[in-house]
Amino acid sequence: MSLNQFSEFINTISSKPLYVLDATIPKDKYIPIDISESNETLNTIDVSSSSKLGKFVNNHLKTHDAQVAYGGYLEVRNIYNRSKHFNSQAEEARNIHIATDLWCDAETPIYAPLEGTVHSFKNNTNYGDYGPTIMLKHHINNVEFYTLFGHLSLGSIKNLKVGQLFSKGQQIATLGDATVNGDYPPHLHFQIIKDIQDFKGDYPGVCSKTDLDFYKSNCPNPNLMLKLL
């Protein structure tokens, strides 16, 4: 299945938005946010500090009277420069985000957008990494694909089991805070993955420019499912 075919498939699973946050949050309480390197305002902030970045996000929410700030797919970001997890002398730097982030409060409930089983889960503890992470496997119309939920609370993976079934709309987790989520302001990293390869409990959510074509084809825009725009 080509990129265009898979993206079209994801888009047509539902004509209505699918939800990973509380479905009763009105659409007008979602606001786009720019965390890219081209955001001149953000470039005046020490984004290596989760508290200072969190203040930027919270001010953006307050200014727009919103509950959730969203965006980030294919954004080139400076916030990964602080971590060796994304930057090593032996490899090209990874700074292109290949998922959607939903910035909101810690302990916000997270829901399965579709019926799925737990493929794997893990606490990814590298500095700047996902922290607690859950990956679901879905089968829709004979197509198998995966969704990844990163930056969760430790309690979200405490009693989880591989193969555990979650119904569409069932709560699967809550958001973690900076003490457990890789040292970020609270947010959900939500990613769609066509081919999981051999990964378990983890999958790259940020890529290098060299690898971008592959990850664009394997990880389509989650907004095809969320329909926030």
Side-chain angles (χ1 to χ4, degrees), residues 121-122 132 134 153-161 164 172:
F121 57 93
K122 181 182 176 184
I134 297 173
S153 65
L154 284 171
S156 299
I157 61 174
K158 185 176 181 180
N159 298 309
L160 211 55
K161 294 181 173 64
Q164 183 174 342
I172 63 172

Side-chain angles (χ1 to χ4, degrees), residues 138-189:
H138 308 277
H139 289 274
I140 307 290
N141 297 332
N142 297 317
V143 177
E144 181 178 282
F145 65 99
Y146 303 81
T147 49
L148 182 151
F149 305 79
H151 308 299
L152 307 176
S153 65
L154 284 171
S156 299
I157 61 174
K158 185 176 181 180
N159 298 309
L160 211 55
K161 294 181 173 64
V162 171
Q164 183 174 342
L165 176 66
F166 285 103
S167 301
K168 177 182 176 181
Q170 184 177 354
Q171 184 177 340
I172 63 172
T174 57
L175 280 188
D177 61 22
T179 65
V180 299
N181 75 356
D183 191 40
Y184 293 99
H187 71 287
L188 176 69
H189 173 104

Side-chain angles (χ1 to χ4, degrees), residues 62-101:
K62 185 177 180 180
T63 298
H64 296 279
D65 189 27
Q67 289 179 245
V68 183
Y70 70 91
Y73 183 67
L74 302 187
E75 273 189 350
V76 181
R77 294 175 166 179
N78 287 332
I79 61 175
Y80 307 116
N81 293 343
R82 62 182 184 154
S83 173
K84 292 182 180 179
H85 181 58
F86 302 102
N87 298 274
S88 71
Q89 293 181 347
E91 298 178 352
E92 183 182 0
R94 295 189 293 131
N95 63 355
I96 305 173
H97 191 252
I98 46 176
T100 289
D101 283 333

